[in-house]
Amino acid sequence: MAVEAVSDTGPLIHLSQIEKLELLKIVDRLLIPLEVKDEFRKGGSLKKLRELDIIEVKEVKGTHADSAGAMSRKFGLDLGEAGAIVLAKKKGISLIFTDDLDARRAAMMRGLEPHGSIGILLRAYRDGIISEEETITAIRQLHSDSSLYLTSDLTKRAVEAVREFSEAE
């Protein structure tokens, strides 16, 4: 069965900043709202996004666009984040990629399963796509080289999770 997810802009930009955008291939199909594509254009390279053959851009229209607007206002989300949540619900996709805490909360309230950039890296490691060393380096790069706000404590815990997984194998 194909694994599908929906993403907002955060993980796309953050993974692009550390040159790990290809790790989104932990899923077979990744839907993004048109607003996410537009936001990514400002903070990343659309060429890199187009190189990922798993990405499909979808326009959120009609009553779904109204729902996204209302959610944006209610939770203080941008339209890309709200659109991703509405799109996930509309398509029946439970997995959503976001680094925004408010978007995570709103997604969980709607029965979705949010994962951020670190979660994507950990999944790529567990799936054997990248090595332990590459994963730890990428986590540290997210902390030091990307615009994602990560505390030193969260970075340390993520590195420990990688090492614990290695020891458990």
Side-chain angles (χ1 to χ4, degrees):
M1 185 161 105
V3 178
E4 298 178 313
V6 176
S7 185
D8 70 18
T9 314
L12 302 179
I13 289 176
H14 302 135
L15 292 173
S16 178
Q17 289 171 333
I18 62 166
E19 300 191 19
K20 295 291 183 195
L21 196 59
E22 76 280 359
L23 296 182
L24 290 168
K25 289 190 175 192
I26 60 170
V27 297
D28 301 304
R29 181 175 178 227
L30 183 66
L31 303 182
I32 62 170
L34 183 59
E35 292 83 2
V36 168
K37 178 185 172 191
D38 294 341
E39 289 173 7
F40 185 79
R41 180 182 293 131
K42 296 173 192 169
S45 166
L46 278 181
K47 181 182 178 208
K48 290 180 186 178
L49 204 60
R50 281 191 215 107
E51 289 172 359
L52 288 174
D53 56 355
I54 61 164
I55 293 182
E56 293 179 33
V57 179
K58 300 287 183 184
E59 188 172 359
V60 178
K61 301 188 236 179
T63 59
H64 298 293
D66 295 341
S67 295
M71 185 182 308
S72 174
R73 289 184 297 278
K74 180 177 180 178
F75 293 98
L77 306 178
D78 65 35
L79 285 176
E81 293 159 347
I85 293 168
V86 169
L87 182 61
K89 288 301 286 183
K90 175 184 173 192
K91 296 292 186 178
I93 298 172
S94 63
L95 185 59
I96 185 164
F97 297 149
T98 180
D99 287 320
D100 184 86
L101 186 57
D102 292 329
R104 285 172 174 263
R105 287 184 186 131
M108 286 188 291
M109 289 172 63
R110 283 157 182 74
L112 301 175
E113 183 183 331
H115 293 277
S117 296
I118 287 181
I120 293 166
L121 292 173
L122 294 174
R123 172 79 179 270
Y125 170 60
R126 289 182 184 134
D127 288 354
I129 298 170
I130 57 174
S131 70
E132 176 183 356
E133 184 178 320
E134 288 175 295
T135 306
I136 290 171
T137 298
I139 290 167
R140 290 181 174 146
Q141 286 178 316
L142 272 178
H143 178 70
S144 62
D145 300 340
S146 79
S147 58
L148 177 61
Y149 175 74
L150 287 177
T151 64
S152 296
D153 185 55
L154 182 56
T155 303
K156 181 180 172 184
R157 287 191 321 221
V159 168
E160 287 171 0
V162 172
R163 291 192 173 128
E164 286 171 10
F165 184 80
S166 295
E167 291 170 7
E169 288 190 313

